[in-house]
Amino acid sequence: MSRPRAADAEVTVVSRIAATDTVTMLELASLDGAALPAWEPGAHIDVLMPSGLVRQYSLCGDPTAATWRIAVLREETSRGGSEWICSSVEEGAALRLAGPRNHFSFAPTTGAPVLFFAAGIGVTPIAPMAAAAAAAGLDYRVHYSGRARERMALLDELECLHGERLVAHVSGEGSRVDLAAVLGSASAGTVVYACGPGEYLEAVSAAAEGAGLELHLEHFEAVEAVAPVWEGAFEVELALTGVTVEVPPERSILEVAEENGAFVLSSCTEGTCGTCETPVVEGEVDHRDSILTPQERARGDVMYVCVSRAACPKLVLEL
Ligand code: FES
């Protein structure tokens, strides 16, 4: 676990409701009653737990509202993050947080048709994106998958806002999304946004790639690691100090850079949250995160140093 980050803000919980029997919805306001900053659909905040854990939650309310809303799934395998929020955080409690930050932005400006896919708690970043698509008058559909209606957070709200553009796939009722059929029949130029568990995203990716559609994903879980491109040790020059360090195969750039005095914000240490984003000055990167799109990887101008490595003998990083 990386060291805790400094909090950007303290907020208070003004409302807490059980969205389902496993999802708790919190509405957050500033301590002095001033409006919290507006945000873009797809943004998330880092919540800093008293234990030192830092967890990311997508903002899922109205981006222009004075308060922020998050929905937290109580994970069966919680290491104290979701369990603490769902069982210990009451109305009136103060929460320390950082952000918002956005690695899953939605750009409705092109006017292209959009297909949204959400499974389970993956609906949280998709909900404000779909609302933005509706407000922009786009041609869009939302495919929302879950096991049972009563366990699908925000379902009533989405049905109300999107009507027939919302398609609920409830496996307990025998309904499952046919990704190949939906994506295979999408019109050319359709852009796809998806969030959900790893296997679900793999299936959406395969179907979107098969249909030749542009795809944007938000992973809550790290993608499975593959063998590194550069198997041995490599050097990293820390451009801000001019120090060059050696990164052995069994250690991350983040660990070695911190050990050598670089200050790097970090949180998940598994390439999913984006906190450790670092500009690349020189060198070829073996991207191993779950955040960047293929186009962003090809640009090679940033990397996530908690997991990504060099694909060459030496990198120069803005650290
Ligand atoms: S610390 Fe989360 S992506 Fe690196």
Side-chain angles (χ1 to χ4, degrees), residues 187-250:
S187 51
T190 296
V191 183
V192 179
Y193 290 81
C195 186
E199 281 182 14
Y200 174 79
L201 293 185
E202 278 172 29
V204 175
S205 294
E209 271 170 35
L213 301 178
E214 181 182 324
L215 173 68
H216 301 263
L217 300 176
E218 167 105 306
H219 287 268
F220 286 157
E221 303 158 5
V223 292
E224 210 171 309
V226 294
V229 173
W230 186 269
E231 293 193 335
F234 56 88
E235 289 187 331
V236 172
E237 182 180 326
L238 308 173
L240 301 184
T241 56
V243 171
T244 296
V245 297
E246 183 175 278
V247 181
E250 70 282 4

Side-chain angles (χ1 to χ4, degrees), residues 126-185:
I126 295 295
M129 289 183 173
L138 298 186
D139 176 10
Y140 71 98
R141 288 276 183 290
V142 185
H143 291 270
Y144 181 12
S145 298
R147 277 187 221 146
R149 283 178 185 275
E150 62 277 15
R151 291 209 151 183
M152 294 169 71
L154 305 174
L155 181 58
D156 292 348
E157 200 175 299
L158 291 173
E159 283 178 334
C160 198
L161 180 60
H162 303 295
E164 290 185 351
R165 290 186 181 275
L166 185 273
V167 188
H169 303 277
V170 186
S171 58
E173 297 172 6
S175 155
R176 286 183 193 274
V177 61
D178 183 342
L179 292 168
V182 174
L183 288 161
S185 61

Side-chain angles (χ1 to χ4, degrees), residues 249-304:
E250 70 282 4
R251 302 196 71 198
S252 68
I253 296 176
L254 173 66
E255 289 170 333
V256 176
E258 285 190 318
E259 201 172 85
N260 285 276
F263 177 67
V264 196
L265 289 178
S266 62
S267 173
C268 69
T269 67
E270 59 179 21
T272 57
C273 76
T275 308
C276 68
E277 182 173 291
T278 299
V280 178
V281 180
E282 216 175 283
E284 203 181 327
V285 178
D286 174 13
H287 291 285
R288 305 170 67 76
D289 61 84
S290 311
I291 302 166
L292 296 177
T293 62
Q295 295 82 0
E296 290 165 335
R297 287 181 175 209
R299 272 208 309 270
D301 54 351
V302 295
M303 70 183 293
Y304 298 97

Side-chain angles (χ1 to χ4, degrees), residues 1 19 24 46 51 54 68 72 83 88-89 92 94-95 107 126 161 170 174 180 190 211-212 229 253 267 283 299:
M1 185 69 215
T24 299
D46 294 335
S51 62
V54 182
W68 291 344
V72 180
E83 174 63 32
S88 305
V89 175
L95 280 189
I126 295 295
L161 180 60
V170 186
T190 296
V229 173
I253 296 176
S267 173
R299 272 208 309 270

